[in-house]
Amino acid sequence: MDAAWSAGEDPVVGVVDREGEATDADRSGSADIDAIDPSTLSTVDATHVSGDLEEVLAADPSVLVTAGEAALAAAARTGVDTPILPVGPVSGIESVVRDGLVAALDAVLDGDVARRPRSVLGVTLESGSADDHDPDSASAVDERALFDVTLVTDEPARISEYGVRSRGSDVATFRADGVVAATPAGSHGYASAVEAPQLSPALDALAVAPIAPFVTQTRRWVLPNDDLAVTVERDEGDVTLVADGRSVGTVTVDSRVTVSVVGTLPTLVVPGYSEL
């Protein structure tokens, strides 16, 4: 839901001039976007700070400017609550074209802007089998994702078997190269290439789809965005867990990946300047 927003007095514009961590497989091309040159904002009536994400956030900016999907996803991983103005092509999220950034920021500082929250997923990979005698026998990986979570077999043409559960109920078991679960924003990016349903941001749901299924008529699903579990029922090669294009762990047959919305990322939409 949109909400009005104001930069307040003495605003500080934080510019992330580097995109953050490189993704393992940049599916959107956003890594080719040049960093934003803070000098282009010299006419904007606000204090400017620039640097990498950590440096900029340390300055407590009123608004954060990020270029491309990688930088926006990196901000989501930090749990930042500073409103973000996305720049450049971003799948499923309104963003400002680079040439319109100065005018868009002027509109932001004048209050002609809406704050729109985007769902952020918490992703947990539990490996091994913890028991009452040794509760630390299971290792866990905790990550956040703004766009999608993917389990994928590393080797080409090596199909594994995956299981999907939602709120404790079995949804499906299928053989495929992988499986993707996407937020409404992510459903318009990579997930759409594997024919996942494209979701409205008004929905509290995830789009889930197999990747290159062995049976071509395998279904795709729209599922609640809490308590989704994905498992590897049988593997024929290493299966990697990928969150927003970053490899974050290895999934085995005794592992369990759970996905739920754990928060939101506040983005700014500027009428006349922000577009999908």
Side-chain angles (χ1 to χ4, degrees):
M1 182 177 182
D2 293 354
W5 179 81
S6 171
E9 298 182 3
D10 301 322
V12 176
V13 176
V15 180
V16 180
D17 63 10
R18 291 180 288 279
E19 283 225 348
E21 300 176 57
T23 58
D24 297 307
D26 180 12
R27 299 177 298 226
S28 67
S30 63
D32 294 330
I33 298 174
D34 293 333
I36 297 170
D37 182 355
S39 67
T40 62
L41 305 182
S42 59
T43 62
V44 175
D45 188 19
T47 301
H48 311 131
V49 294
S50 64
D52 62 25
L53 182 60
E54 184 177 356
E55 293 168 340
V56 171
L57 290 178
D60 193 23
S62 309
V63 58
L64 194 63
V65 178
T66 61
E69 290 187 10
L72 193 60
R77 288 195 297 275
T78 69
V80 64
D81 58 5
T82 303
I84 298 175
L85 183 65
V87 178
V90 179
S91 299
I93 291 179
E94 293 94 336
S95 62
V96 175
V97 297
R98 184 176 296 275
D99 291 345
L101 176 56
V102 172
L105 268 176
D106 285 337
V108 167
L109 298 176
D110 287 339
D112 186 15
V113 64
R115 177 171 167 146
R116 182 169 298 174
R118 309 291 178 173
S119 297
V120 176
L121 302 176
V123 187
T124 301
L125 166 60
E126 298 176 351
S127 300
S129 305
D131 56 43
D132 294 338
H133 301 290
D134 185 8
D136 295 326
S137 60
S139 60
V141 173
D142 291 305
E143 288 285 337
R144 289 190 171 209
L146 179 64
F147 297 103
D148 55 42
V149 178
T150 305
L151 278 68
V152 61
T153 305
D154 288 348
E155 298 180 39
R158 296 296 295 271
I159 292 177
S160 296
E161 186 172 309
Y162 297 91
V164 175
R165 293 173 61 84
S166 177
R167 294 183 174 177
S169 298
D170 291 332
V171 174
T173 301
F174 50 85
R175 296 183 65 200
D177 285 351
V179 57
V180 59
T183 63
S187 71
H188 294 265
Y190 170 71
S192 67
V194 296
E195 301 181 353
Q198 294 190 350
L199 305 182
S200 162
L203 290 178
D204 295 329
L206 297 175
V208 180
I211 301 170
F214 180 73
V215 177
T216 57
Q217 294 182 342
T218 301
R219 294 180 178 177
R220 283 76 178 167
W221 305 272
V222 176
L223 298 173
N225 62 6
D226 63 323
D227 197 18
L228 175 72
V230 184
T231 54
V232 176
E233 301 297 316
R234 182 177 63 184
D235 60 23
E236 297 183 15
D238 292 338
V239 174
T240 298
L241 174 63
V242 180
D244 283 348
R246 298 169 58 249
S247 296
V248 297
T250 299
V251 187
T252 60
V253 291
D254 60 351
S255 302
R256 174 184 172 91
V257 176
T258 57
V259 179
S260 291
V261 168
V262 294
T264 58
L265 182 74
T267 63
L268 297 177
V269 177
V270 188
Y273 297 97
S274 298
E275 57 187 38
L276 284 172

